[in-house]
Every structure is written in C-alpha cells, then in structure tokens.
Amino acid sequence: SSRPRALSGIQPTAGSFHLGNYLGAIRQYVALQETHDAFYMVVDLHAITVPQDPAELRANTRLAAAQLLAAGLDPERCTLFVQSHVPEHAQLGWVMNCLTGFGEASRMTQFKDKSARQGADRATVGLFTYPILQVADILLYQADAVPVGEDQRQHVELTRDLAERFNGRFGRTFTVPAPYIVKEVAKIYDLQDPTIKMSKSASTPKGLINLLDEPKTTAKKVKSAVTDTDTVIRFDTEEKPGVSNLLTIYSTLTGTAIADLEQKYEGKGYGALKTDLAEVMVDFVTPFRTRTQEYLDDTETLDSILAKGAEKARAVAAETLADTYDKLGF
Ligand code: ADP
Ligand code: NA
C-alpha cells in the first residue's frame, strides 16, 4: 500500500480503558484507519513489567481487543493484534536495548513516575527498559505516525533518536517516525483533581471515567466533577482547569466547537453544563458497553480476528527484523 503507516499500542488493563485513553489515543486510531496503513496492538509484553495474574492477563487482553473493536477499529481496515503473538518485538527490543545509553534510558519520565508508584526497589528492569521495547514496536512496522497522548511524546522522541542512530551506523534501515498528537485532547485531566492527568494508576476513583462503568456511575462522576468557585463557563486552562477539561470532553464527543459551547452556556451555571455532559457521556458509553460485551460473548470470532492480525503484522515485522539482523552481521 502507498499509504503512510501508523502504529500504536495500548496495555491490557483490568476493568476497562478510561476516557483519557479514548480521547487521547483510541479515537485517533479509529480516524487513522481511513488515511493510513494502520497497525494497532494490545501490548501484553509491556503489561508484565508489573506483576500479572496469568488468567487475568489473558482475559484483559481479550477485553482490550474487544474495547478497541467496540470503539470503531475495523479488522478489514486496520491490523489489530496482540504483541506477544509476534515474537519479533522481543527480538528487535534486544537490539534496541544494546543501542540505548543507560543515561538516556534513565531520563524517561514515565519510568520515574511508574517506578515511584511501585516503590523504587520493587520496580523491574523490564519497567526500566519498556520505552526501548516501545521503540522496537514502532520501528518494526516502519511507522510514519504514532498516535499517542502527550505522556508518550518522549518515547517517540527516543524512537526517532534510535532510528537515526541505527541508520547512521548501519545504513538506512528504519523509517524515522513522528508522534501524532492531537493537541486539544493530548491530556485529559482527572475529574476530581484537574491538575493531574486522568490515569488508571494515579487518578482518584471518582475522577476516573472508566468506559465500562455502569452508565449511571459515569453520570454521577460527571455531575460531581470539581470546577471552581466562580460560575462562568469559559475555556481557560490556567484559571479554570476543571471547567476547561469538561469543555474539552464535551466538545470532542459531540463535535461542537468550544466557542459554541461557551455561548450555549452563557449565563447558565456549572450544573447545566454537567447535566448535559453527563447525558452526552451516557449516550457514548451505553452502546460502547453493549458492543464490547458482544465481542466478549464470541471469543471465537475475537480470537480469529487477532490471529489474522498477528499473521499480517508478522509478515511486516519479520521483513524488518531480517534486514536488521543482516545489517548487524548476524
Ligand atoms: P495510563 O496512563 O492510564 O496507564 P496507558 O499508558 O495505557 O494509560 O495509555 C494508553 C494511551 O492513552 C497512550 O497513548 C496514552 O498517551 C494515552 N493516554 C493515557 N492517559 C491519557 C490522558 N489522561 N489524556 C490523554 N491521553 C492519555
Ligand atoms: Na500513559
């Protein structure tokens, strides 16, 4: 295909994806199916950087794939697979480990955050090197565009550095990718603490919108979102981070410009905004839950989609790895 390539991965997590994952990443995965030769994977190798129960991991991997399909990924228009089904990820990961400086890896802020949360001496070497596995994930597919949220920008920068380093030393081998970050939704904030990003691991329970929560729970969380002591509905991330976050979510889910929302709520209080956004959210998550459950109820179809995806992915990955090994003198 002559289309540019897109590649991204998302970790299987217990429960469900959250609204930050959807708006910051998954929504862009769906859009890029139309313009790119797109590869998306559930990154179970990344998941084991922290302890996992095997049966739960297997279930969560299917759950992640089911949610991606429910969100709009179409196996006819993209390649959806599970990372561990394509052994080339671990193989190229090792090569990239040997190309990365220890100090360079030590500068990754995601590792600092995640290991701090784990407790410094419980963090694994795998957690330390996971950005480098991510480099391999991207380079294997010769990706041009990597749709991610802002928190992943540094890892795409590392990918660019390593691609250029390898190409410089061994000759042109890898496409140098660029992050595909949609500024407006690059960082969705916690609904209770709009100074921190919405995140599975760091969010407050009421500030985290899980896509598979009961719709009435979702509505409740939206209605109890933290705003400020003012009443004016205005997009201002400095002075009004809570209200601005709600406007971003509202605008993205409905395709309404933020300026139009400001106008619509002129002279109305925060209650009106939250009530309407709660309804928008419920209208979004209700069919999402149903579709996810339909995929989970038919694991035969789901597994067959993932098997076909792995086969397509592997054809590309194997070619890149063979070229890499050849260049290295293997
Ligand atoms: P988490 O940060 O909750 O552990 P992941 O690291 O699995 O989630 O993130 C999966 C994708 O979702 C990544 O592309 C990441 O950049 C994006 N993402 C995660 N949280 C947010 C957020 N709050 N706002 C925007 N994008 C996000
Ligand atoms: Na993240």
Side-chain angles (χ1 to χ4, degrees):
S1 149
S2 59
R3 289 177 163 197
R5 286 260 169 82
L7 175 288
S8 200
I10 191 157
Q11 292 209 33
T13 53
S16 74
F17 292 140
H18 59 73
L19 188 63
N21 297 141
Y22 176 71
L23 295 178
I26 299 169
R27 226 169 152 266
Q28 281 64 258
Y29 300 179
V30 176
L32 290 177
Q33 293 181 117
E34 310 306 329
T35 51
H36 286 62
D37 184 18
F39 291 77
Y40 301 119
M41 58 183 175
V42 180
V43 292
D44 53 351
L45 294 177
H46 287 284
I48 64 163
T49 55
V50 298
Q52 296 286 342
D53 172 81
E56 280 172 25
L57 178 58
R58 189 167 289 122
N60 290 337
T61 298
R62 284 202 181 107
L63 177 61
Q67 290 177 88
L68 291 171
L69 292 162
L73 290 192
D74 174 356
E76 300 296 318
R77 289 184 297 157
C78 72
T79 303
L80 174 64
F81 65 103
V82 176
Q83 188 187 26
S84 66
H85 296 178
V86 180
E88 285 79 3
H89 289 264
Q91 292 175 288
L92 189 65
W94 176 251
V95 174
M96 292 298 146
N97 266 305
C98 296
L99 210 71
T100 310
F102 195 86
E104 194 174 29
S106 306
R107 286 194 289 275
M108 295 298 121
T109 59
Q110 285 274 302
F111 171 73
K112 289 181 199 166
D113 293 353
K114 291 192 180 193
S115 60
R117 249 176 264 139
Q118 285 275 299
D121 23 291
R122 276 199 300 163
T124 64
V125 175
L127 187 64
F128 182 65
T129 66
Y130 104 91
I132 306 169
L133 180 58
Q134 217 176 312
V135 169
D137 296 340
I138 297 165
L139 297 185
L140 270 179
Y141 298 92
Q142 307 289 350
D144 299 283
V146 185
V148 285
E150 183 59 40
D151 56 8
Q152 294 294 325
R153 182 189 295 277
Q154 194 185 29
H155 296 167
V156 184
E157 289 303 323
L158 177 68
T159 309
R160 293 172 58 85
D161 290 346
L162 291 177
E164 280 166 359
R165 190 172 307 160
F166 191 101
N167 288 348
R169 256 183 228 174
F170 302 101
R172 173 82 180 74
T173 308
F174 299 115
T175 300
V176 181
Y180 182 90
I181 298 176
V182 178
K183 197 169 109 266
E184 291 76 9
V185 288
K187 199 167 177 186
I188 299 297
Y189 296 89
D190 185 288
L191 260 49
Q192 287 296 315
D193 180 358
T195 65
I196 62 169
K197 73 164 183 172
M198 188 179 289
S199 145
K200 199 94 196 168
S201 39
S203 270
T204 60
K206 279 171 61 197
L208 177 72
I209 300 286
N210 289 303
L211 298 182
L212 294 175
D213 274 349
E214 288 281 347
K216 64 172 189 291
T217 305
T218 303
K220 220 187 258 169
K221 287 180 181 176
V222 172
K223 285 181 188 166
S224 63
V226 164
T227 46
D228 52 53
T229 53
D230 190 18
T231 55
V232 181
I233 294 170
R234 176 167 50 86
F235 188 82
D236 179 342
T237 53
E238 289 296 309
E239 300 293 322
K240 294 175 164 287
V243 173
S244 301
N245 192 39
L246 296 179
L247 286 171
T248 298
I249 296 167
Y250 196 153
S251 162
T252 311
L253 286 177
T254 59
T256 315
I258 289 192
D260 292 340
L261 291 175
E262 286 173 335
Q263 208 165 34
K264 177 174 176 185
Y265 290 100
E266 209 182 310
K268 296 184 185 156
Y270 294 152
L273 172 70
K274 290 191 207 172
T275 302
D276 289 353
L277 178 57
E279 200 178 304
V280 166
M281 284 296 313
V282 166
D283 287 348
F284 172 69
V285 296
T286 304
F288 176 82
R289 274 165 60 93
T290 308
R291 286 197 297 269
T292 300
Q293 195 54 51
E294 283 165 5
Y295 284 107
L296 291 176
D297 288 342
D298 184 1
T299 47
E300 207 173 306
T301 300
L302 185 59
D303 290 352
S304 131
I305 289 170
L306 295 173
K308 280 187 203 130
E311 203 178 309
K312 273 162 68 190
R314 210 170 167 190
V316 177
E319 199 179 315
T320 304
L321 187 74
D323 184 27
T324 309
Y325 272 19
D326 186 51
K327 296 263 182 34
L328 286 166
F330 292 167

